[in-house]
């Protein structure tokens, strides 16, 4: 092949690759600054507090494996000493720095939706926390905001039990340190996640 033909082909091929590149991968990556993961706790006298995690990361792969990684050190209860106790006593972040959530989805269904269209799906969701993995059915609502942006959030609150993850003793110790008559061992989790292709 002559050098002239090679040059012509190269000049034709490069622009094509550049145009195609953004669409070559079907991977969707979470946008942490636009996403929110919070949980509600309740204690003595039915007081309820909103807490959240400042650092979350996640991806939906081309094959449809959705995964979310939560930095437990980023817990934010609004009270510094309570954050410290959550990290050290409840989560034991030196041993278990992150929580993981995974589920399998048919990503092609959502990629084919029109902008603004919404679908719901109940998925068996694996929750890895404190060295244990528990599978719970979670009802998700997925909205295709644009061709490259998905909004994923829960339809109903997700209830996580301290007992299920072996955290009963930690919650009892937290209750004692805080001088409370009771702490509800269940927390209610809500999330609103933005994924971009």
């Amino acid at each position: 092949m002559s050098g002239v033909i090679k040059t012509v082909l190269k000049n034709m091929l490069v622009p094509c690759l550049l145009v195609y590149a953004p669409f070559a991968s079907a991977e969707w990556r979470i946008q942490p600054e636009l996403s929110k993961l919070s949980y509600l706790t309740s204690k003595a006298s039915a007081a309820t507090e909103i807490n959240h995690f400042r650092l979350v990361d996640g991806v939906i792969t081309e094959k449809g494996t959705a995964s979310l990684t939560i930095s437990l050190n980023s817990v934010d209860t609004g009270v510094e000493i309570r954050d410290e106790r959550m990290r050290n006593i409840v989560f034991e972040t030196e041993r278990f720095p992150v929580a993981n959530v995974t589920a399998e989805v048919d990503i092609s269904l959502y990629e084919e939706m029109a902008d603004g269209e919404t679908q719901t799906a109940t998925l068996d969701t694996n929750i890895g926390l404190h060295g244990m993995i528990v599978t719970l059915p979670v009802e998700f609502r997925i909205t295709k905001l644009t061709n490259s942006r998905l909004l994923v959030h829960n339809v109903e609150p997700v209830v996580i039990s301290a007992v299920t993850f072996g955290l009963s003793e930690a919650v009892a110790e937290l209750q004692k340190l805080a001088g409370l008559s009771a702490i509800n061992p269940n927390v209610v989790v809500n999330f609103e996640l933005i994924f971009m292709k």
Side-chain angles (χ1 to χ4, degrees):
M1 185 181 294
S2 72
V4 172
I5 295 177
K6 286 182 179 180
T7 300
V8 171
L9 289 176
K10 180 179 179 181
N11 290 338
M12 292 174 60
L13 181 60
V14 171
C16 290
L17 289 175
L18 290 174
V19 169
Y20 178 73
F23 306 97
S25 172
E27 180 177 279
W28 297 76
R29 170 107 7 219
I30 200 170
Q31 302 300 292
E33 69 281 3
L34 301 176
S35 302
K36 186 172 184 179
L37 176 66
S38 60
Y39 65 95
L40 302 178
T41 58
S42 55
K43 56 186 183 183
S45 303
T48 301
E49 296 166 332
I50 302 174
N51 313 273
H52 69 276
F53 294 98
R54 289 178 283 102
L55 297 177
V56 295
D57 192 18
V59 67
I60 305 174
T61 69
E62 185 176 2
K63 295 182 178 180
T65 298
S67 61
L68 180 68
T69 301
I70 305 157
S71 169
L72 299 179
N73 278 311
S74 73
V75 64
D76 187 348
T77 67
V79 179
E80 187 175 348
I81 185 62
R82 193 162 58 205
D83 293 348
E84 183 180 335
R85 289 171 177 171
M86 289 297 297
R87 290 192 298 264
N88 298 335
I89 298 172
V90 179
F91 296 138
E92 294 186 278
T93 56
E94 286 193 5
R95 296 174 59 202
F96 309 105
V98 300
N100 297 291
V101 181
T102 61
E104 296 297 325
V105 302
D106 186 349
I107 191 61
S108 64
L109 292 178
Y110 309 116
E111 291 182 325
E112 293 170 2
M113 291 193 304
D115 290 358
E117 186 178 349
T118 295
Q119 292 190 24
T120 60
T122 299
L123 304 174
D124 288 333
T125 304
N126 302 311
I127 301 171
L129 174 64
H130 206 250
M132 300 182 67
I133 299 176
V134 175
T135 302
L136 297 175
V138 177
E139 189 173 7
F140 294 84
R141 177 168 289 140
I142 300 95
T143 302
K144 187 174 184 182
L145 301 177
T146 68
N147 191 50
S148 60
R149 182 175 291 189
L150 292 177
L151 166 63
V152 180
H153 63 96
N154 54 303
V155 176
E156 295 183 349
V158 182
V159 178
I160 302 294
S161 171
V163 176
T164 302
F165 290 94
L167 296 171
S168 298
E169 291 184 6
V171 172
E173 184 177 349
L174 199 65
Q175 177 183 327
K176 182 178 179 180
L177 287 171
L180 299 171
S181 60
I183 292 181
N184 191 332
N186 300 321
V187 299
V188 178
V189 178
N190 291 286
F191 55 86
E192 187 173 283
L193 311 172
I194 298 290
F195 287 86
M196 292 190 69
K197 183 185 285 189

